[in-house]
Amino acid sequence: MSASPVTAENRHQSLDVLRGIAVLGILMVNIPTFFMLPEAYQYPPGDPGFDAAGAQAWLFVHVFFEMKFITMFSALFGAGILLMVGYGPDSFTKVHYRRMLWLLAFGMIHAYALWYGDILVAYALFGMIAVLFRKMSVGKLVFWGFFWITLTGLLMVGLFAAFMMMPGDIDPASVGMAQSPEAAANIIAAYQEGSAGRWRHNALSAVMAQLAGLSFFGGRVIGVMFLGMALFKSGFLTAQWGVAKYAICAVAGLAIGLPLAWYGGQHAVAVDFDLRSMWVHTATNYLASLLVAFGYASVVMLICKMPGLALLRAPFAAAGRMAFTNYLTQTITLVILSTGTIGLGLYGTLGREELIPIVLAIWVVQLVVSMAWLQVFRFGPFEWLWRSLTYWKLQPITRSKA
């Protein structure tokens, strides 16, 4: 048997729908990093323009989006490994490694040429590891998934809890949580002008993000991939569970997870993001994100089991089939909007509350374009390029040539 791409008839629509929702939801969390200093991601006051309206926008995103959709996307990446490789012959595994190597190349270009917040490099590297454990039982995948997730959580909470032991007032700039006013002004100017300083800052930020993502946050990524493989094997992600079971999972995950995330986020706003209290919303959301992601996924699976909602699912399934293209075009669009020279140079000029309408507009465009594109073509343009490179053969891209 020779390795070949997964065909349309062999896809599970539930995976596509969930992937489409995940790639759209991720944008709501990522967008501040295109318009604000990197430090503002973890420490919102690190943005010089942060105000009360920005705090409320941060709270909304923190409760409903932060870490929730990337968790679903990571789980789906693990499920995708099984969908492609399964328990097939060595040739399938070899194709998987070629696929990951090309993803690594895409990720490096994405990170250093466009945006330091890239996740593709981590997915490629951990995808090469996760495939080795695909034959483990559901129970073992769940155990080791939660082991790595817990270890990462303890490291994260411990890092922020260390602020509690620092004497006196803490200067955020002195501990790397903010830039000095002069440095912030220089970085903002470099992005607005599109000068060489922008490229240097992005490259340095990419190095730091990759080191942290691979060493410090890596356990969460591979742990969730393990859970994704377990959920795929159990039938959860392919909508094979009963309606009642999905409903119970949805209610339990959201009823516990959302209030927990709100409590931590509201506490952070109330104490004005005091560094000594950062461990509170970090810890609560770390746990809540797993519960909320599971709740969201359960709701999606319920929708996928309802024949009458086929029209509602269709645009999200199309966005999911083009998730790679949509992820990269989100970056390209926001780089054009935020940086100067060839773009609008809006970096440092928009508050968090002003970014939400931009996200909604991109959602609408990507849902419509994904639907229209797949009426003619089999894959998104970047999916086609990735597949063609993986199999070292141009794949038929139009539906008429399939």
Side-chain angles (χ1 to χ4, degrees):
M1 181 185 296
S2 61
S4 60
V6 175
T7 57
E9 58 269 22
N10 290 330
R11 300 185 70 95
H12 295 283
Q13 192 193 52
S14 58
L15 295 176
D16 290 330
V17 173
L18 191 59
R19 189 180 294 107
I21 291 172
V23 77
L24 296 176
I26 288 170
L27 178 61
M28 188 70 80
V29 180
N30 287 345
I31 192 169
T33 63
F34 289 92
F35 294 89
M36 299 174 184
L37 299 172
E39 292 78 9
Y41 181 81
Q42 287 288 354
Y43 181 63
D47 168 32
F50 188 67
D51 56 15
Q56 292 306 307
W58 174 88
L59 180 60
F60 168 73
V61 174
H62 176 80
V63 173
F64 294 101
F65 292 89
E66 188 175 349
M67 292 185 70
K68 286 78 176 178
F69 291 87
I70 192 65
T71 296
M72 289 195 293
F73 205 74
S74 299
L76 287 165
F77 197 89
I81 292 173
L82 279 179
L83 185 63
M84 176 183 176
V85 182
Y87 302 109
D90 291 342
S91 60
F92 281 67
T93 306
K94 291 178 182 177
V95 170
H96 170 76
Y97 279 107
R98 288 205 306 271
R99 189 168 181 259
M100 293 299 100
L101 287 172
W102 281 114
L103 185 64
L104 178 62
F106 279 115
M108 295 296 285
I109 296 170
H110 182 229
Y112 290 95
L114 293 172
W115 174 56
Y116 66 87
D118 166 79
I119 192 64
L120 303 179
V121 168
Y123 278 8
L125 294 175
F126 289 119
M128 295 181 192
I129 298 173
V131 71
L132 302 175
F133 300 92
R134 70 189 187 279
K135 295 182 181 180
M136 286 199 305
S137 66
V138 170
K140 287 183 178 179
L141 285 168
V142 170
F143 173 82
W144 286 109
F146 278 116
F147 172 83
W148 290 111
I149 290 170
T150 302
L151 180 61
T152 298
L154 292 174
L155 289 172
M156 287 186 64
V157 174
L159 176 66
F160 290 116
F163 287 129
M164 299 175 62
M165 297 181 285
M166 298 183 68
D169 294 333
I170 304 174
D171 176 14
S174 68
V175 293
M177 298 300 291
Q179 295 281 350
S180 67
E182 296 78 13
N186 290 335
I187 294 170
I188 291 172
Y191 275 83
Q192 290 178 349
E193 297 166 2
S195 65
R198 179 258 174 186
W199 299 102
R200 289 194 299 270
H201 181 264
N202 182 76
L204 179 60
S205 299
V207 171
M208 299 302 294
Q210 287 177 352
L211 289 175
L214 296 177
S215 61
F216 188 70
F217 200 66
R220 168 91 179 203
V221 175
I222 196 166
V224 173
M225 285 184 183
F226 280 11
L227 294 185
M229 288 193 285
L231 290 171
F232 182 81
K233 286 187 174 186
S234 71
F236 175 90
L237 290 174
T238 50
Q240 295 180 37
W241 289 16
V243 170
K245 188 177 291 187
Y246 281 124
I248 292 171
C249 292
V251 171
L254 298 178
I256 300 172
L258 289 175
L260 185 60
W262 181 88
Y263 168 79
Q266 185 63 39
H267 178 269
V269 173
V271 301
D272 197 23
F273 297 92
D274 179 63
L275 290 177
R276 289 186 175 85
S277 297
M278 284 198 69
W279 70 271
V280 177
H281 73 270
T282 300
T284 51
N285 194 54
Y286 191 87
L287 175 58
S289 62
L290 295 169
L291 295 168
V292 175
F294 188 59
Y296 284 167
S298 299
V299 171
V300 173
M301 293 304 111
L302 279 173
I303 293 173
C304 289
K305 291 182 73 68
M306 300 178 182
L309 297 180
L311 290 178
L312 174 64
R313 296 192 299 268
F316 295 100
R321 289 175 60 189
M322 291 180 56
F324 189 36
T325 292
N326 285 326
Y327 176 70
L328 293 178
T329 52
Q330 286 171 5
T331 294
I332 294 169
T333 301
L334 295 177
V335 167
I336 292 173
L337 291 177
S338 62
T339 60
T341 306
I342 62 170
L344 300 183
L346 296 176
Y347 191 93
T349 66
L350 301 177
R352 290 174 185 266
E353 72 281 3
E354 296 173 295
L355 299 178
I356 294 176
I358 296 176
V359 173
L360 299 180
I362 292 174
W363 284 359
V364 171
V365 171
Q366 291 197 321
L367 288 170
V368 172
V369 170
S370 296
M371 284 278 288
W373 181 274
L374 291 176
Q375 294 300 310
V376 179
F377 301 101
R378 298 175 65 209
F379 317 115
F382 284 105
E383 282 80 4
W384 172 81
L385 178 59
W386 187 16
R387 287 173 181 240
S388 296
L389 290 170
T390 296
Y391 295 97
W392 209 240
K393 177 182 178 181
L394 290 178
Q395 300 293 307
I397 189 171
T398 60
R399 294 169 64 91
S400 60
K401 293 182 178 180

